[in-house]
Amino acid sequence: MNFHILTLFPDMVMQGLSTSIIGRAKDKGLLSIEAVNIRDYTLERHKKVDDYPYGGGAGMLMQAQPVYDAWKSVVDRIGYKPRTVYLTPQGPTFTQPMAKDLAQAKDLILLCGHYEGIDERVLEEIVTDYVSIGDYVLTGGELPAMVMVDAISRMVPGVLTNDESGSTESFEGNLLEYPQYSRPEEWMGKKVPSILLSGDHKKVDEWRREQAILRTIKRRPDLLKKAELTKKEQMKYQEYL
Ligand code: ADE
């Protein structure tokens, strides 16, 4: 999968996405990530990319031309118009199903805004998806773009080593993940739940399932309504549904 990030801060995104699992996946050739510097596409003498909004108001806007030309350079190079995501608080909130869906794409363009936003006309021309990472306002779209690249990349086959790890984790079936324990068996007087040492895989699975449900009830009661529960579980946890 190929990510193309349109940004005024290419170093920020490239540094943030060069290490750990994402860095390893890049080295393996499973992913490519490029930052396209919007400033390189300005036709303005002083390399300016922003200007005052018509009608007045606070702050500066990113102008249409450099954004469009940066986008067009990617489209011309890859030979088609891929989905183009504009990171903005004015979009639906990014979720795990969205990450899975976007991971099907071969190419994805992520457009990072700055200042007070971007001239509406270029957004109308190039953006296919508006996405927010949560109801708060950041100084730019770079951190949201990095969040999206990370979440999408780990859904790309081969990026995670253990085949399992993508399916038993938080948000699968809209349940949070069960608690986990490693050695030692006792730490600061706290013992690992004995069932996990029993060797009875069926019992362990049942316990984990129950813990996942109880944890979701406690920490994310809003999720439980969307969770995939058996008839029996629906009865048992009726009062929380
Ligand atoms: N740009 C600024 N704030 C943002 C947010 N919460 N999500 C996505 N893009 C943003």
Side-chain angles (χ1 to χ4, degrees):
M1 175 160 186
N2 309 304
F3 294 95
H4 314 271
I5 305 173
L6 312 183
T7 171
L8 290 172
F9 299 95
D11 295 346
M12 178 178 176
V13 292
M14 292 312 283
Q15 273 174 27
L17 297 168
S18 63
T19 50
S20 185
I21 295 173
I22 305 304
R24 187 188 66 196
K26 282 187 350 191
D27 294 343
K28 280 206 262 174
L30 296 166
L31 305 174
S32 80
I33 303 173
E34 66 160 346
V36 178
N37 192 344
I38 295 169
R39 200 176 295 281
D40 290 347
Y41 291 85
T42 178
L43 302 174
E44 218 267 343
R45 266 192 306 144
H46 303 291
K47 292 221 153 221
K48 208 165 65 84
V49 292
D50 60 333
D51 211 330
Y52 296 99
Y54 280 115
M60 303 286 268
L61 281 183
M62 280 167 73
Q63 291 167 284
Q65 176 272 319
V67 172
Y68 183 78
D69 288 355
W71 175 81
K72 188 70 167 37
S73 76
V74 175
V75 170
D76 286 347
R77 182 151 36 85
I78 66 179
Y80 77 109
K81 289 183 189 176
R83 279 172 86 172
T84 298
V85 175
Y86 177 42
L87 288 313
T88 168
Q90 301 182 6
T93 309
F94 189 49
T95 60
Q96 192 63 33
M98 282 160 81
K100 267 191 176 170
D101 176 45
L102 288 165
Q104 309 300 313
K106 182 171 183 317
D107 293 276
L108 189 63
I109 298 181
L110 300 168
L111 170 60
C112 305
H114 252 271
Y115 313 116
E116 291 305 305
I118 302 182
D119 189 309
E120 192 68 20
R121 292 166 296 181
V122 68
L123 300 177
E124 286 170 11
E125 203 59 40
I126 70 174
V127 173
T128 58
D129 301 77
Y130 294 81
V131 178
S132 168
I133 63 158
D135 287 343
Y136 40 81
V137 181
L138 299 165
T139 55
E142 283 74 17
L143 285 167
M146 290 158 72
V147 165
M148 286 189 68
V149 170
D150 189 291
I152 294 166
S153 294
R154 55 192 294 295
M155 291 295 108
V156 171
V159 169
L160 297 182
T161 44
N162 179 353
D163 281 354
E164 264 249 276
S165 51
S167 63
T168 60
E169 62 192 3
S170 290
F171 298 113
E172 250 332 284
N174 280 309
L175 288 175
L176 301 184
E177 200 181 20
Y178 46 79
Q180 303 224 66
Y181 305 86
S182 183
R183 286 201 289 185
E185 245 177 77
E186 188 176 329
W187 178 78
M188 296 229 309
K190 291 166 171 284
K191 289 200 171 72
V192 172
S194 56
I195 201 150
L196 298 177
L197 310 173
S198 69
D200 185 335
H201 296 300
K202 190 161 172 284
K203 280 253 156 59
V204 169
D205 285 349
E206 283 167 9
W207 181 86
R208 284 180 166 168
R209 173 86 188 165
E210 185 184 36
Q211 290 297 313
I213 295 171
L214 292 175
R215 175 156 284 195
T216 307
I217 289 170
K218 191 148 178 240
R219 297 189 184 174
R220 290 292 307 275
D222 57 304
L223 271 186
L224 199 75
K225 291 166 187 57
K226 294 188 279 179
E228 294 160 19
L229 300 181
T230 65
K231 280 261 141 54
K232 213 169 144 193
E233 287 166 345
Q234 284 176 23
M235 300 272 280
K236 189 165 169 192
Y237 301 106
Q238 207 167 16
E239 61 186 296
Y240 303 104
L241 291 170

